[in-house]
Amino acid sequence: MSLLRTVPVGGRALTHRRARRAATAAVPRPIVPTSAWLPTAPCSPQVCVASARSLADVPRAVLRLAALLVTLLMGVGLLPVFGLVPVSRRNALIRGWSRAVVRAAGVRVRITGTAAPTGGLLLVANHISWLDIPLLAAVRPARMLAKAEIRRWPVAGGLTACSGAFFIERDRLRALPDTVARIAGALRSGAAVVAFPEGSTWCGRAQGRFRRAVFQAALDAGVPVQPVRLHYRFDGGPASTAPAFVGEDSLLASLWRVVTARRLVAEVEVRRPIPADAHPDRRALAHAAELGPTGGELAWAHVALATERMP
């Protein structure tokens, strides 16, 4: 006698093992990344992103888009002048312009803490939105580690390239050691480099683990790592996922959610730098720099997710 129980399915008797296989086949399987440096987040615009819009928001949104375009074009026009300005003055201009970009989109900026104005420094932050880039430039102008796709973005791609960004092709794992070596060289020369070690954007309710590779550059160069925590919320209210740029979301859709939102605030917490020699390897250094939400934010996230799943 067989030890496997039988389960009736559609008038037929299948073994328990076969029934389990049939049920498993009906569940869609997640897409597996093509390389270890191509992480994905479970966030998507349909599940995670919440925004409330009305026709009354459209005129204000159009004005914000116009202000944002003018501010970006001003930055493009000033690029030839930046090379003639002393470094200290140039960095002050970049920080001011970066804040102006975020404000033009209708988002208030609150920065707590400071970064060292000079010397090699690796700035690492959680990644939620395209707004993260000017926000970190407002902390300290730096060369950015960016995915190669950003180079093709209109306006922003050209500005990113002109800033001396390190572009990485994330589906080419063999190119990673060379990128790490170039970042270490820039850090040794006294430059600041910005990286998003999660490797993908998250909605802000949850976050990914920090990938270790970029921390090797800080160890090789012997420079500190400064964690920066980014968070978006409504002024005087709960967290907001409107600025999120996740999954198959388009840049235009994310931009429109931002300019139509009301009372959005970007909170930038610059945490204490971590000396490179304070940890024995890149795994420990990445773990020390990893950022987590507070208990209150986790509670809000659980309530919000539960509300979304209600019928």
Side-chain angles (χ1 to χ4, degrees), residues 39-49 127-128 147 170 200-203 244-251 254 257:
T40 57
C43 303
S44 68
Q46 294 80 13
V47 175
C48 303
V49 177
H127 203 7
I128 300 171
K147 60 183 181 180
R170 298 186 302 165
S200 180
T201 50
W202 290 65
C203 67
F245 181 34
V246 293
E248 68 277 13
D249 205 3
S250 69
L251 180 60
S254 176
R257 282 197 305 270

Side-chain angles (χ1 to χ4, degrees), residues 98-302:
S98 300
R99 278 177 173 264
V101 168
V102 181
R103 288 293 295 122
V107 182
R108 297 180 183 177
V109 181
R110 294 175 183 166
I111 299 178
T112 57
T114 57
T118 59
L121 181 68
L122 178 64
L123 288 157
V124 294
N126 58 311
H127 203 7
I128 300 171
S129 172
W130 51 271
L131 284 167
D132 302 347
I133 298 170
L135 285 173
L136 287 173
V139 172
R140 178 177 169 181
R143 301 180 67 177
M144 189 175 66
L145 177 62
K147 60 183 181 180
E149 293 88 334
I150 291 180
R151 195 195 297 263
R152 298 192 293 270
W153 287 8
V155 183
L159 286 172
T160 304
C162 291
S163 69
F166 299 97
F167 289 103
I168 181 170
E169 297 181 24
R170 298 186 302 165
D171 56 348
R172 291 186 58 219
L173 194 58
R174 292 182 180 180
L176 187 57
D178 178 64
T179 303
V180 171
R182 288 190 291 123
I183 294 171
L187 294 171
R188 287 192 197 96
S189 70
V193 176
V194 165
F196 299 106
E198 290 167 309
S200 180
T201 50
W202 290 65
C203 67
R205 294 176 180 172
Q207 68 177 56
R209 302 300 303 270
F210 278 8
R211 302 278 163 156
R212 303 185 298 270
V214 71
F215 293 92
Q216 186 62 49
L219 289 173
D220 293 344
V223 302
V225 174
Q226 188 143 34
V228 180
R229 182 178 173 277
L230 302 171
H231 184 61
Y232 298 91
R233 67 168 63 252
F234 295 108
D235 192 11
S240 171
T241 58
F245 181 34
V246 293
E248 68 277 13
D249 205 3
S250 69
L251 180 60
L252 183 60
S254 176
L255 175 62
W256 185 251
R257 282 197 305 270
V258 170
V259 297
T260 53
R262 300 181 181 182
R263 301 183 298 109
L264 265 183
V265 178
E267 296 179 343
V268 184
E269 180 190 352
V270 184
R271 297 185 175 179
R272 289 182 297 179
I274 304 170
D277 57 4
H279 297 278
D281 54 37
R282 62 187 182 184
R283 182 190 297 270
L285 186 56
H287 181 71
E290 200 163 287
L291 307 166
T294 65
E297 287 158 9
L298 281 175
W300 177 86
H302 293 158

Side-chain angles (χ1 to χ4, degrees), residues 40-126:
T40 57
C43 303
S44 68
Q46 294 80 13
V47 175
C48 303
V49 177
S51 61
R53 296 189 297 269
S54 67
L55 290 177
D57 297 324
V58 173
R60 182 178 57 250
V62 172
L63 289 175
R64 287 176 175 176
L65 284 174
L68 181 59
L69 180 60
V70 170
T71 307
L72 288 172
L73 292 177
M74 285 177 61
V76 173
L78 289 174
L79 280 176
V81 182
F82 281 165
L84 306 176
V85 178
V87 174
S88 59
R89 181 59 179 163
R90 182 193 315 161
N91 288 344
L93 287 172
I94 293 174
R95 286 196 298 268
W97 176 78
S98 300
R99 278 177 173 264
V101 168
V102 181
R103 288 293 295 122
V107 182
R108 297 180 183 177
V109 181
R110 294 175 183 166
I111 299 178
T112 57
T114 57
T118 59
L121 181 68
L122 178 64
L123 288 157
V124 294
N126 58 311

